[in-house]
Amino acid sequence: MERKGPLKTEPLPNVSDDIIAITLRKTGGRLRSAAAYIKKFCDIELTPDYLCRRVAKSRKLQAIKQDVQDYMLDLAEYHLIRSIINGDLRSAMFYLKNRAQSMGYGNGAYFDKREKELNEREKKLRAMEEAVQEREKFEDFLETITPEEVDKLYRKLFVN
């Protein structure tokens, strides 16, 4: 295969900081998503690496990206707290493990044991739910079967 000279690359388009800022806000500060968003709505193809370099050069874009990331963290914390209020034990354990170390909740062994117990309880609960479903299916079957069919089935299973 012959090479016909150096590879030519097209210069990257000049996208305004305002477009990048809007895109960062729309995509939660994720550069790969921002590049896809700009391609979709502006028909300009950029790489996440290019956007990373542009953000690194601009204090304004750095501040916007940081604001968006802080907002996303606040939103995640809001949902975590809402889960705790609604009684989600795993969320409570996660919160205590990560935020209440000064109160002695950072002991990973304790939480690992509790997590294992919780997983075992969930497995047992699922098994019980499946057993109940199987029993309901069997009861439905018994309601639809005739006495003649019961007799025939009994002979087939136990007599022969």
Side-chain angles (χ1 to χ4, degrees):
M1 190 194 285
E2 289 183 35
R3 188 168 169 188
K4 299 181 179 181
L7 295 175
K8 292 184 180 179
T9 58
E10 294 181 28
L12 290 170
N14 189 12
V15 179
S16 72
D17 282 356
D18 292 334
I19 290 175
I20 295 174
I22 291 167
T23 306
L24 288 173
R25 286 187 183 108
K26 291 275 186 193
T27 60
R30 295 181 317 274
L31 297 177
R32 184 173 306 280
S33 299
Y37 189 90
I38 289 173
K39 179 170 175 45
K40 181 177 181 179
F41 292 103
C42 301
D43 199 30
I44 300 171
E45 194 159 343
L46 302 175
T47 64
D49 185 52
Y50 173 77
L51 288 177
C52 182
R53 284 181 283 155
R54 283 290 299 273
V55 169
K57 289 180 185 178
S58 168
R59 289 186 191 270
K60 175 185 169 187
L61 292 177
Q62 289 172 12
I64 289 170
K65 186 171 185 224
Q66 187 61 51
D67 287 346
V68 169
Q69 289 175 340
D70 290 345
Y71 172 76
M72 296 302 284
L73 287 172
D74 289 344
L75 186 62
E77 192 171 36
Y78 165 77
H79 285 289
L80 177 64
I81 290 169
R82 210 166 85 188
S83 294
I84 293 168
I85 290 169
N86 290 332
D88 183 12
L89 181 60
R90 277 206 173 115
S91 296
M93 288 170 43
F94 175 83
Y95 189 82
L96 290 172
K97 186 176 182 180
N98 290 289
R99 298 291 242 155
Q101 292 173 353
S102 64
M103 297 171 66
Y105 287 102
N107 183 351
Y110 171 78
F111 284 106
D112 291 343
K113 180 181 174 189
R114 295 293 295 156
E115 183 85 20
K116 188 174 181 181
E117 290 172 4
L118 187 59
N119 286 337
E120 290 299 319
R121 287 182 185 170
E122 286 177 350
K123 285 179 189 175
K124 287 179 183 177
L125 182 60
R126 277 195 296 274
M128 289 171 62
E129 288 172 348
E130 289 172 5
V132 167
Q133 289 174 353
E134 290 298 318
R135 182 181 174 103
E136 289 172 352
K137 286 180 188 175
F138 182 69
E139 288 174 354
D140 290 344
F141 168 74
L142 289 178
E143 288 177 6
T144 60
I145 194 168
T146 64
E148 294 82 24
E149 290 173 322
V150 171
D151 191 44
K152 189 189 244 184
L153 186 61
Y154 177 80
R155 278 190 234 141
K156 183 176 181 182
L157 292 173
F158 299 109
V159 176
N160 291 338

